[in-house]
Amino acid sequence: MVFDFSGNLDLPQLEESVLRYWAEHDVVDRYLAHRPDGRPWVTYEGPPTVNGKPALHHVFTSVYKDVYPRFQTMRGRRVERRGGWDCQGLPVEIAVERNLGLRSKQEIVEHGVEAFTRACQEYATGNIGEFRRTLSRYGYWVDFDRAYRTMDDSYVESVWWHLKEMWDKGLVFEGEKVLPYCFRCGTALSSHELAQPGVYRDREDRSAFVAFPLLDGSAELVAWTTTPWTLPANVAVAVEPDREYGVYAGPDGRKLVLAVSRAAQVVEGEPERVLRGSDLVGRRYTRPYADDIAGAEGVVVGWDGVSDDTGSGLVHLAPAFGEDDAKVCAEAGLPSPNPVDEKGEFTSGPYAGTNVLEAVPRVLADLAERGLLVREHGYTHSYPHCWRCATPLLYWAKPTWYIGTARVKDRFVEENEQVTWHPAHIKHGRFGNWLENNVDWALARDRYWGTPLPVWRCANGHDTCVGSRSELAEHAGRDLAGLSLHRPAVDDIAFPCPDCDRTAHRVQPVCDVWLDSGCMPAAQQGYPATPGSTLRDAYPADFICEAIDQTRGWFYSMLVVNTLTHGSAPYRNVVCLGHLVDDDGRKMSKSLGNVIDPQETLNRFGADGVRWYFFNSGAPWGSRRVSLTSIDQRVGKDLGTLWNVVHFYRRYADLAGFVPGDGAFEPEQVLDRWLVSRLNALVESVTEDLEGYQAHLAAQSIAAFVDDLSNWYIRRGRRRYWSTGETDRGAFATLHLVLARLARLMAPFVPFVAEAIHHAITPAGEGGVRPDSVHFDDWPVAGPRDLGLERDMDTARRATSLLRAARTKAELSVRQPLAQGVVVGLPALPADFQEIVREEVNIRSLAMGDEVTLPVGHLVQPNWRRLGPRYRQLMKELGEAVRTLEADAVGKLRAGSAVTLAVAGQEVTIEPDDVSFQEEVETGWTAVADGGAGAAIDTTLDEGLLAEFRTRRLIRTIQVARRDLGLDIQERVLLWLDDTALASGEEIAREVLAVEVHPLSALPPADGEPYRGEGFALRPASGR
């Protein structure tokens, strides 16, 4: 494989070359079967829902799911990386309904359930291909050929087995509760679906203060509601027994009852009399709408849950449309009329056939006409919407199936204690609190494309839960080997009830799609019905990773299902990722139009550019601001810099004919030894961070190392590579060693770039064949570190930084040599490190250490606020004496000791607080200070220094001329210099690769005009 290292880094083009190489050599498939004898390290694929095209957040999740398995594989572990797809449920159904032009469940039935579920299967299958292409192009290596699909019969059968296990433990039951219900989709939602991000949205509704006349005619109760459509189902009004309620004068002589603390919202003035809430309990009133179930009368009930923050202090209760309402009314023995059907329409009364939300204006108009509407106004509040179709939800009483999770929530809490969460606060915070407040899981969905609930019921109400295809066949008395386990085929299977011999038919619902995902550890294998399926070495997972909203989704369903069926948590380590947001901090979504197409980022920055950005732009569990500009900046800063280093190595190694040796290499030069020690430190930290699931910290360490490699090591030692002599092999060997290890360290992060570097620096073997792939290599092992050398180099770099700052302050070019520099506050350096500092800052001598001081004088000023009252008569003489103190006296005062002076014949004692100090840099010096250290440079320039500067400037000009002529970096030249530069001819020749230097006045005529510049001329030595 050959890469072009001559230009700037073009990641998309580079990656296409790498992809071709991987395909030609079957690298990915061989990698997935790599380390067959290694100790298992288990990861589970959180299945993406294939209800559309992949988005950038799928890429974000995938690269974090990719980095740790790659790392563990290089560490020698056997990692089975099986893909997975969430293919069922309402997200897919809604997309298919849209494609088919269907608008309701009735139209699905008319279209044909079999045709509809077949269309769902085809739609999911088509999207799988798109996901597979996109994620593969981003270097996400999982086994897509063996990927599990939640719609496969083997998977569905395993979900049945899990349900049967919970059924046998008495945890699956049918009950009637008030649930959040989507009338558009025709199904209820579970509590964890309601907790998904984006479910609650601001919505403006019409709120109303409604009068409920007491039967004795003494007054009217005033209750507030934000859902006027629920009034036809009212059976009670709740008051807080210990609260004060007043009877107020209303319009037209009406008497209105409101809580004293809330009355100002409706009426003015003081109450005519005050009651306790308990005085109202049991009183009867006229319901706004009479019906055959509850009649015409309602009753006042006591409830401690009545809010004092909003409304009137009285709450209207409709038990069919509120969980709290249902509980309070059930305890009072009240009926629960429900005039609304599954389409969200009234079934009886004046609004029959009308959607409840659309009926609100009619309800308010009717109440006003009958004198029951005291007041109405708009009310903006956070209201739940269907996470699939965005329809406002109704709280609606209906029979449904549940898993009794609330009764065993302590088990979930116990198992959560065995899990390590990243970030750690999720464990007892967002996730732990969710487990502590667990409610029963609403399991059933009144839909079509999902795992059918495996419960058969006879006319006598006996229920049979079926746990497998073979069990169903045994009940049915026939072979069902070819039966689809989806609707409608499975609906056609009936069998004699085991309890009474009446015919049992399957109940209609399908299961919550989150149950499918929760069963995946076993279901991905079709366990236990599929021959050879086993959880040995495949449970629990060492690692799983998804977005933080999965604390209400996959993380939760996995913990619940597997704790109840396998007895333990299904994962040991969880990485929670934050959401991608735009520059304004808004979560990226198609509805807002602020999404970034992953294909666009791929085309512009390549897969590794995007991957590196995700790893190296902050902790992954925080919200991640993403823009094309931010990605571009990160790619150029790090990967572009690294690419330039590889280009530099290849260019000079080829010219020098350098071939890395097979044996161990021990660097000798101080920069080489420092870099290798620094590399070993990097291996240590990256290994530790990846073991601790802190990939972002590992990436940051790599980025810092690349910066050191390019902007310190290469820049400091660039001249060593210009020679092809044997003495410089240490520079090439060191750089090769570092790049080889760096390629392996970066392989989990940027698999394409790492592969390219690996092949760029690895010599061909026998027959010109290069090594297979960096991804088959072992993870680097850190060698010994020289901590003293590392500290000395850190000190040298700190000293360099200070001296550079002084140069900047003095506005002196770094090419201008200086006579001397001073550094204080840092330990003295060995000679070879001082030489590095001198060369880097371009100074002839350097002083540093404990005995060194900055060339700074101390100007002492008297503090007259203290001295004036004591020595008023001596102010002139004392001021002069203080300002001209000897150095030893100044030293005592700065050290905190007093000094005694003779002033105008008097003895004067000066305390440290009697004076202030001002530092003045000596003439001809410039000084800086930072963090307890300081540096100064001598800015005096003599003729020798100025001449040296002119020489360096001329060298720079000639180098530019070489470049303009298109000369190769090793090509020799003939050089002519004017008389002022001839004295430095030997130095100039060495730097610009001149084989001969002559006076410019002796420039001979020749074929072809030489390149002429100010004070010089040159021509290629080859004569071209």
Side-chain angles (χ1 to χ4, degrees), residues 355-622:
N355 178 272
V356 294
L357 298 180
E358 295 173 357
V360 168
R362 291 178 58 188
V363 172
L364 294 176
D366 178 49
L367 293 173
E369 184 178 345
R370 291 192 283 142
L372 298 178
L373 184 62
V374 179
R375 181 188 167 203
E376 68 144 316
H377 61 87
Y379 180 70
T380 300
H381 58 147
S382 181
Y383 193 83
H385 292 66
C386 179
W387 65 278
R388 312 171 187 95
C389 68
T391 300
L393 299 175
L394 310 180
Y395 281 86
W396 188 58
K398 71 181 297 289
T400 192
W401 290 86
Y402 294 87
I403 300 175
T405 54
R407 71 190 73 166
V408 290
K409 66 180 182 181
D410 290 346
R411 286 284 296 115
F412 309 145
V413 173
E414 290 172 8
E415 287 304 314
N416 186 41
E417 288 301 313
Q418 312 307 313
V419 180
T420 301
W421 288 83
H422 306 274
H425 64 79
I426 298 292
K427 180 172 185 172
H428 296 123
R430 181 182 175 93
F431 193 67
N433 291 337
W434 178 252
L435 297 180
E436 292 279 2
N437 296 286
N438 190 274
V439 297
D440 289 339
W441 182 346
L443 174 66
R445 300 291 178 269
D446 299 316
R447 296 295 300 189
Y448 307 98
W449 179 238
T451 296
L453 187 65
V455 176
W456 272 256
R457 173 175 290 170
C458 73
N460 288 333
H462 298 137
D463 292 334
T464 302
C465 182
V466 174
S468 66
R469 182 194 299 271
S470 61
E471 187 178 341
L472 181 60
E474 185 177 344
H475 283 302
R478 57 190 176 96
D479 183 12
L480 299 178
L483 176 73
S484 167
L485 297 187
H486 283 88
R487 300 190 69 184
V490 74
D491 297 341
D492 296 335
I493 305 300
F495 55 79
C497 173
D499 294 323
C500 66
D501 287 337
R502 300 285 296 272
T503 300
H505 298 274
R506 196 188 71 82
V507 298
Q508 290 236 325
V510 296
C511 296
D512 178 8
V513 69
W514 292 108
L515 179 67
D516 293 345
S517 63
C519 296
M520 68 80 41
Q524 66 176 339
Q525 301 185 47
Y527 177 89
T530 300
S533 61
T534 176
L535 294 184
R536 185 170 177 263
D537 292 340
Y539 185 99
D542 292 284
F543 158 77
I544 61 172
C545 172
E546 287 294 336
I548 195 168
D549 53 350
Q550 296 304 320
T551 52
R552 306 295 194 264
W554 190 51
F555 299 151
Y556 172 72
S557 65
M558 284 254 287
L559 182 72
V560 166
V561 170
N562 291 280
T563 298
L564 296 181
T565 56
H566 301 297
S568 63
Y571 41 71
R572 294 190 177 103
N573 294 279
V574 182
V575 172
C576 282
L577 303 178
H579 294 299
L580 301 186
V581 299
D582 62 16
D583 280 338
D584 296 325
R586 301 176 303 169
K587 181 183 176 183
M588 288 187 172
S589 68
K590 292 179 181 178
S591 61
L592 291 176
N594 62 348
V595 297
I596 298 176
D597 184 352
Q599 191 61 47
E600 180 181 2
T601 56
L602 193 65
N603 293 339
R604 286 188 59 171
F605 311 114
D608 276 355
V610 179
R611 288 176 68 111
W612 189 245
Y613 172 77
F614 282 144
F615 289 127
N616 213 341
S617 55
W621 26 82

Side-chain angles (χ1 to χ4, degrees), residues 21-38:
Y21 176 82
W22 285 345
E24 291 168 3
H25 295 82
D26 199 23
V27 170
V28 178
D29 287 343
R30 290 164 51 213
Y31 171 86
L32 293 172
H34 197 36
R35 315 285 189 184
D37 300 323

Side-chain angles (χ1 to χ4, degrees), residues 3-4 8 10-18 20 137 606:
F3 299 105
D4 180 10
N8 294 328
D10 184 338
L11 279 172
Q13 184 179 53
L14 171 74
E15 290 167 4
E16 289 297 335
S17 300
V18 174
R20 286 193 295 272
R137 179 59 185 84

Side-chain angles (χ1 to χ4, degrees), residues 54 69 198 208 230 261 313 321 434 474 576 645 658 684 695 761 777 785 810 840 897 926:
T230 62
S261 59
F321 305 122
W434 178 252
E474 185 177 344
C576 282
V645 172
F658 171 76
E684 287 179 2
I761 67 172
D777 280 355
R785 295 174 60 184
E840 185 67 18
S897 300
T926 298

